[in-house]
Amino acid sequence: GDLARQRSALEGTVVVYEEALGDEAEHSHRLREALAGAIAAGEFRLHWQPQVDAESHKLVGAEALLRWRCAALGREVSPAELFPAAADVGLLGEIDLWVLEEALATKRRWSGRDDAPAVIAINISASSLREQGFADLVTEALRHHGLKPEELEIEIPEDVPARDLDALAQTLETLSTQGVRLSLDDFGGGASSMAHLVQLPVDRVKLDRSIVRGLPNGARESAILRAVAAVAGSLEIELLGEGVENEAQTVALRGQGCTTMQGFLYGRPMPADELVPPLTNH
Ligand code: C2E
Ligand code: MG
Ligand code: MG
Ligand code: MG
């Protein structure tokens, strides 16, 4: 009868749902397992996205972005997928150290090249920045590679909980005093707040892509840009526009004193040898 048909339809739905869940759990298990061996297997690499001067469009910096070609899964795994998994299995610290080392080694390879970015930016997770001893580690790595602190910028994630700001501030004060540059990533995008600007010794604010996307016509985005620009201006903090995809966005950002641009309009993340082609002997 009707009831039996309904029940069997419902059971079918439940079975499909359970299978989907099972697949997802299985997949996330395989992902975590693969992640644990990814560094040793040499599956990570960095891509570099240009940061350009807002007026001259000259290359002034580059942001290192992690890329993972996972052999076990047979595909690229995006940062959006890999970082939450890495956090779950406690691998963020190891990944951050790999990124630091690889980025500095690349910067050292570029030394003496005037077509290379003067400053490189790396993303470091809040958990590493909270660690006592992280500042010393960075100092030691810079020395090992013969680089000046001013050649490195550390991007602070926007999702730092307010209760962690004190612990972070210590590490960051040490780094800042030594000359390492600090930027606040994805500002205005989500969890970021003015408290970060009050407590952390930030040299630069990176205005989130979600704000830039609405420029120049979005009334709310334009209001946020003006407000952030006013605060940055009075604190003498530089402003960088993230995710810039068209000229109209550049004009709006520049109009508010934004000095640096980053986005697909100026260049996608690319391998190091594409950003700075190796010199040939002939
Ligand atoms: P993020 O640090 O804000 O990096 C910018 C992201 O926006 C990158 O995505 C970049 O490819 C993308 N993007 C840049 N310009 C444009 C544009 O014009 N349009 C659009 N649609 N997208 C643009 P990606 O590489 O997928 O990285 C996503 C996030 O993953 C990063 O956001 C960062 O939070 C995290 N991440 C990436 N690499 C690392 C890393 O080495 N360490 C850590 N801790 N986090 C990383
Ligand atoms: Mg970033
Ligand atoms: Mg960002
Ligand atoms: Mg982001």
Side-chain angles (χ1 to χ4, degrees):
D2 262 4
L3 197 61
R5 213 175 327 113
Q6 272 176 21
R7 182 174 300 143
S8 106
L10 185 65
E11 276 165 2
T13 309
V14 169
V15 167
V16 169
Y17 185 63
E18 280 177 345
E19 275 174 0
L21 268 186
D23 279 357
E24 207 172 284
E26 167 69 18
H27 171 260
S28 109
H29 178 74
R30 284 174 59 202
L31 182 77
R32 280 149 214 244
E33 255 182 14
L35 200 47
I39 290 181
E43 294 184 338
F44 286 158
R45 58 202 195 288
L46 291 178
H47 276 189
W48 296 86
Q49 186 173 34
Q51 298 174 331
V52 306
D53 179 83
E55 305 284 343
S56 66
H57 295 179
K58 281 211 178 92
L59 181 73
V60 290
E63 178 179 2
L65 294 158
L66 190 66
R67 296 293 178 260
W68 181 28
R69 168 84 208 167
C70 174
L73 297 175
R75 63 173 174 88
E76 282 287 323
V77 179
S78 72
E81 199 180 343
L82 98 82
F83 280 102
D88 280 353
V89 295
L91 281 174
L92 286 180
E94 209 179 312
I95 294 176
D96 285 342
L97 291 186
W98 184 87
V99 169
L100 174 70
E101 178 56 32
E102 176 71 13
L104 293 184
T106 303
K107 175 68 177 143
R108 178 196 214 167
R109 255 198 355 256
W110 288 337
S111 60
R113 295 282 301 262
D114 54 14
D115 54 349
V119 180
I120 57 161
I122 59 174
N123 296 280
I124 298 292
S125 25
S127 54
S128 292
L129 295 176
R130 217 195 293 121
E131 292 278 321
Q132 288 220 335
F134 184 77
D136 289 345
L137 220 140
V138 171
T139 311
E140 182 48 39
L142 283 164
R143 216 173 33 149
H144 174 79
H145 288 284
L147 295 168
K148 294 200 264 315
E150 293 76 14
E151 294 178 283
L152 177 66
E153 177 168 307
I154 292 181
E155 299 197 359
I156 307 161
E158 101 280 20
D159 63 349
V160 177
R163 63 181 146 77
D164 282 0
L165 283 175
D166 277 349
L168 234 71
Q170 284 183 26
T171 307
L172 296 180
E173 287 291 351
T174 307
L175 288 169
S176 179
T177 304
Q178 286 165 4
V180 173
R181 296 172 46 91
L182 302 172
S183 64
L184 208 47
D185 208 356
D186 301 339
F187 196 79
S192 50
S193 78
M194 293 291 176
H196 292 66
L197 283 182
V198 173
Q199 294 200 41
L200 306 177
V202 173
D203 301 289
R204 166 189 277 178
V205 163
K206 300 189 76 180
L207 188 67
D208 192 61
R209 179 154 56 91
S210 63
I211 305 296
V212 172
R213 195 191 293 129
L215 302 175
N217 296 324
R220 285 163 190 265
E221 291 87 346
S222 302
I224 302 282
L225 166 61
R226 284 194 303 272
V228 174
V231 170
S234 42
L235 294 177
E236 292 180 20
I237 291 172
E238 279 176 40
L239 191 57
L240 174 151
E242 276 198 296
V244 179
E245 294 185 353
N246 60 59
E247 193 58 38
Q249 292 167 342
T250 298
V251 172
L253 287 161
R254 209 168 38 207
Q256 291 298 319
C258 182
T259 54
T260 317
M261 305 287 162
Q262 180 178 350
F264 292 171
L265 180 64
Y266 300 101
R268 296 196 171 240
M270 61 188 103
D273 286 356
E274 255 172 61
L275 186 68
V276 184
L279 297 171
T280 52
N281 293 321
H282 35 85

